[in-house]
């Protein structure tokens, strides 16, 4: 991310394009890359997954996260740049509420995390300096990359399911015992 606006050609004219537009356009290219498949692999695995070690949970369909680190240089405000990029890239990172509204599902979405260099210097890479697009607060990196509400909800649903199954087994056992008497 240069200190100056990027130049690009349109219909033979050279125009200035703000940095946030240039950065946001890169997410379109990342999304296209993430969709490419490796034809020589059985099943046509995603090309990026050949190099990226990831959880193969089919319900999550994880994509590699992107981390943006901004430095306050000159008149450009890092916070403004981040807000502008967020506004231009909703379709790449914005999750959908699950059917019960307990969490947002990010299947097929790119986890985009941003921070500022001054925050990294002040709090270190393990501090609450990372902001995941779409969230209201800064978090440590692992929390920013994860989906703690989804994980907690899925754990609770699994526990409820196990308890329901155990209760049904107890009721069936009682019913069998009553039939024998």
């Amino acid at each position: 991310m240069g200190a100056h606006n990027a130049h690009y050609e349109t219909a033979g004219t050279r125009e200035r394009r703000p940095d946030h537009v240039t950065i946001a356009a890169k997410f379109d290219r990342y999304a296209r890359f993430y969709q490419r498949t490796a034809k020589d692999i059985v099943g046509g695995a995603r090309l990026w997954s050949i190099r990226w070690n990831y959880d193969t949970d089919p319900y999550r369909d994880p994509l590699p996260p992107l981390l943006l680190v901004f430095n306050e240089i000159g008149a450009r405000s890092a916070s403004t740049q981040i807000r502008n990029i967020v506004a231009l890239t909703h379709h790449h990172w914005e999750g959908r509420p699950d059917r019960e509204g307990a969490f947002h599902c990010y299947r097929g979405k790119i986890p985009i995390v941003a921070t500022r260099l001054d925050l990294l210097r002040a709090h270190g890479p393990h501090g609450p300096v990372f902001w995941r697009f779409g969230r209201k607060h800064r978090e440590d990196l692992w929390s920013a990359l994860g989906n703690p509400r989804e994980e907690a909800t899925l754990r609770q649903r699994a526990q409820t399911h196990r308890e329901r199954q155990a209760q049904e087994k107890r009721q069936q056992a009682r019913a069998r015992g009553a039939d024998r008497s």
Side-chain angles (χ1 to χ4, degrees):
M1 288 164 255
H4 303 288
N5 291 334
H7 292 276
Y8 69 106
E9 305 259 339
T10 308
T13 63
R14 191 171 167 103
E15 301 175 22
R16 281 180 83 72
R17 178 162 68 168
D19 284 341
H20 66 273
V21 174
T22 302
I23 295 166
K26 290 181 180 190
F27 292 109
D28 293 331
R29 290 191 294 277
Y30 278 112
R32 283 192 304 273
F33 173 72
Y34 289 160
Q35 297 304 314
R36 291 181 60 194
T37 58
K39 295 176 186 169
D40 60 341
I41 295 177
V42 177
R46 296 269 173 95
L47 187 59
W48 64 264
S49 69
I50 295 169
R51 298 248 185 230
W52 181 268
N53 185 12
Y54 72 105
D55 181 8
T56 58
D57 183 347
Y59 297 104
R60 296 208 178 163
D61 190 24
L63 294 175
L66 298 175
L67 174 62
L68 306 173
V69 179
F70 290 86
N71 192 10
E72 298 278 352
I73 297 177
R76 292 182 321 150
S77 163
S79 297
T80 301
Q81 286 282 87
I82 293 170
R83 278 194 305 275
N84 290 337
I85 293 168
V86 166
L88 293 171
T89 60
H90 275 269
H91 58 288
H92 289 302
W93 56 263
E94 192 167 42
R96 295 169 307 279
D98 83 314
R99 62 181 182 270
E100 296 173 17
F103 61 87
H104 279 78
C105 175
Y106 296 101
R107 184 174 185 176
K109 299 297 183 173
I110 303 172
I112 304 172
V113 179
T115 191
R116 294 188 330 248
L117 192 56
D118 63 320
L119 291 172
L120 278 172
R121 285 183 179 141
H123 303 285
H126 301 290
V129 299
F130 300 97
W131 180 68
R132 179 157 177 176
F133 285 16
R135 295 191 184 161
K136 298 189 184 319
H137 56 282
R138 291 192 308 253
E139 305 168 285
D140 64 89
L141 185 58
W142 294 117
S143 297
L145 291 177
N147 192 352
R149 286 179 40 192
E150 177 186 32
E151 292 165 12
T153 301
L154 295 178
R155 268 194 313 274
Q156 178 60 43
R157 288 178 184 171
Q159 178 65 28
T160 301
H161 180 71
R162 285 190 298 274
E163 290 170 1
R164 191 176 306 123
Q165 284 183 321
Q167 182 180 7
E168 288 173 7
K169 283 183 181 181
R170 286 191 300 272
Q171 289 173 344
Q172 289 171 357
R174 276 189 236 124
R176 282 193 302 270
D179 288 343
R180 291 181 191 150
S181 326

